């Protein structure tokens, strides 16, 4: 064979490319994976549709009707929303709820941060974490009844102790001044442990070497908390504040058990007001309109809170 003779490269057969040969199999497996994913998601999607999406749409429809649970709903347009604008009790319920939200979120966040920091910097005991979670596991009705008996002006041992100390007795749940702060204290006791554990979990994600470096530079605990812990905890803190905000606006069980909206409407929060309109006054359409407005308010407050706290960004590199 001569030196200038060209040698033709071997020709590939149609079925010789292993990538192409596997392509149909990969596509088939991908389709099977999607089917399996939808199969596993189906129970959750069905539950969401039945217990969240459908009731929400139904409630929005009822908000445009005159409905008393006993007769068929009659479409009335935006009459319920026009009535709501001039309803002083609705705005009073919003004001009372706002007062409770400030008390509850403020106390829960401060105490939760304190407990989480103590656990993170001093001890990581599993037993302590379990103890903190116990109040959160107790049903809200039980918590309300327990504290109502403990704070009773005549039989409660708290007032017996105050009286023995010469401080007199106080009707914690019967005083217009003390009723709402007392409800806030009760729910702070019930939920602070859960809040602390969420914050503690966020603190565990902060690299320990940052604290070591700061300590070597002479930084104290307070400086490390303000310069390291709080900035790096921002996404988790935003989540906790949003969850606390929504939960605080939904306060109902403790009010229903202890004060029933009294005295003189000092604890008639928005959820209890909706309940009264729907199941006491049988104004289901109007109650639905109040609930829709509450959902919009919560959506706006949540969006503002997430934006101000920059919840989607972290200072961790």
């Amino acid at each position: 064979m001569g030196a200038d003779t060209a040698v033709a490269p071997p020709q590939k057969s149609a079925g010789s490319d292993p990538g192409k040969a596997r392509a149909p199999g990969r596509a088939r497996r991908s389709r099977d994976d999607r089917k399996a994913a939808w199969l596993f998601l189906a129970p959750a999607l069905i539950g969401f549709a039945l217990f969240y999406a459908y009731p929400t749409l139904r409630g929005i429809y009822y908000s445009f009707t005159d409905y008393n649970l006993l007769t068929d709903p009659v479409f009335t347009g935006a009459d319920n929303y026009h009535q709501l604008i001039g309803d002083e009790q609705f705005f009073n319920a919003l004001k009372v709820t706002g007062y409770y939200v400030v008390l509850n979120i403020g106390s829960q966040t401060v105490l939760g941060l304190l407990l989480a920091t103590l656990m993170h910097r001093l001890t990581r005991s599993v037993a302590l974490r379990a103890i903190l979670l116990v109040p959160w596991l107790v049903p809200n009705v039980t918590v309300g009844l327990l504290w109502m008996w403990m704070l009773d002006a005549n039989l409660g041992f708290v007032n017996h102790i105050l009286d023995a100390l010469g401080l007199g007795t106080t009707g914690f749940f019967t005083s217009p001044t003390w009723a709402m702060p007392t409800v806030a204290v009760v729910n702070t006791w019930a939920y602070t442990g859960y809040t602390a554990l969420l914050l503690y979990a966020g603190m565990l994600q902060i690299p320990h070497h940052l604290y070591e470096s700061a300590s070597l530079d002479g930084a104290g605990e307070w400086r490390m908390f303000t310069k390291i812990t709080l900035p790096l905890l921002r996404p988790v803190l935003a989540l906790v504040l949003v969850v606390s905000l929504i939960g605080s606006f939904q306060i109902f069980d403790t009010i229903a058990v202890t004060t029933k909206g009294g005295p003189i409407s000092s604890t008639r929060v928005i959820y209890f007001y909706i309940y009264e309109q729907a199941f006491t006054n049988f104004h289901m359409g109007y109650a639905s309109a109040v609930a829709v407005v509450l959902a919009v308010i919560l959506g706006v407050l949540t969006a503002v809170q997430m934006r101000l706290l920059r919840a989607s960004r972290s200072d961790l590199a």
Side-chain angles (χ1 to χ4, degrees):
M1 193 179 294
D4 58 348
T5 304
V7 179
Q11 298 293 324
K12 292 184 180 180
S13 62
S16 62
D17 190 342
K20 292 183 178 180
R22 287 195 299 266
R26 281 202 301 269
R28 193 159 43 248
R29 282 196 299 272
S30 178
R31 287 194 296 270
D32 292 341
D33 290 343
R34 283 197 294 267
K35 291 179 181 178
W38 282 111
L39 184 63
F40 282 109
L41 287 172
L45 293 174
I46 293 172
F48 176 81
L50 289 177
F51 300 110
Y52 288 93
Y54 174 72
T56 299
L57 296 175
R58 191 86 170 165
I60 294 173
Y61 166 71
Y62 284 148
S63 71
F64 294 99
T65 65
D66 179 14
Y67 182 38
N68 60 10
L69 294 177
L70 303 177
T71 58
D72 293 334
V74 178
F75 186 79
T76 58
D79 287 355
N80 289 324
Y81 293 96
H82 291 155
Q83 179 184 346
L84 187 147
I85 294 174
D87 187 355
E88 294 183 1
Q89 291 186 349
F90 166 73
F91 289 102
N92 180 72
L94 275 182
K95 183 179 72 173
V96 170
T97 306
Y99 177 44
Y100 167 77
V101 168
V102 171
L103 291 175
N104 189 53
I105 292 183
S107 58
Q108 274 191 47
T109 304
V110 172
L111 290 176
L113 275 171
L114 176 62
L115 290 173
T117 304
L118 290 175
M119 285 191 295
H120 183 239
R121 302 297 295 159
L122 298 179
T123 177
R124 299 189 179 185
S125 170
V126 176
L128 178 60
R129 279 178 271 167
I131 292 172
L132 286 175
L133 201 59
V134 168
W136 180 71
L137 297 174
V138 180
N140 291 335
V141 173
T142 305
V143 170
L145 289 172
L146 174 66
W147 281 95
M148 184 175 65
W149 293 331
M150 287 173 29
L151 299 175
D152 185 86
N154 299 315
L155 304 175
F157 83 93
V158 173
N159 272 301
H160 280 291
I161 294 175
L162 293 176
D163 192 38
L165 295 174
L167 300 176
T169 60
T170 302
F172 290 99
F173 287 114
T174 57
S175 167
T177 303
W178 289 105
M180 185 53 77
T182 302
V183 172
V185 168
V186 169
N187 284 307
T188 297
W189 173 84
Y191 289 97
T192 295
Y194 176 70
T195 301
L197 288 179
L198 289 178
L199 295 172
Y200 173 70
M203 291 178 183
L204 291 179
Q205 307 304 314
I206 301 175
H208 188 66
H209 68 81
L210 297 177
Y211 294 102
E212 293 177 346
S213 300
S215 179
L216 291 174
D217 291 338
E221 289 294 334
W222 175 251
R223 188 169 181 82
M224 286 191 285
F225 176 75
T226 55
K227 300 299 182 181
I228 298 176
T229 303
L230 275 182
L232 298 183
L233 194 64
R234 189 179 61 243
V236 176
L237 186 59
L239 170 65
V240 168
L241 289 175
V242 168
V243 171
S244 299
L245 175 72
I246 296 173
S248 296
F249 266 91
Q250 293 177 332
I251 174 68
F252 174 80
D253 298 359
T254 309
I255 299 293
V257 169
T258 57
T259 65
K260 295 179 174 59
I264 56 173
S265 298
S266 60
T267 61
R268 181 173 279 111
V269 292
I270 190 67
Y271 246 55
F272 194 80
Y273 181 65
I274 293 173
Y275 167 79
E276 284 185 325
Q277 290 296 321
F279 301 106
T280 302
N281 301 330
F282 295 102
H283 297 159
M284 180 62 74
Y286 184 67
S288 299
V290 177
V292 170
V293 171
L294 176 60
V296 173
I297 292 173
L298 283 176
V300 172
L301 290 177
T302 299
V304 170
Q305 200 172 34
M306 298 288 280
R307 181 66 176 264
L308 291 177
L309 291 171
R310 295 178 296 160
S312 60
R313 289 175 289 182
S314 174
D315 292 334
L316 279 172

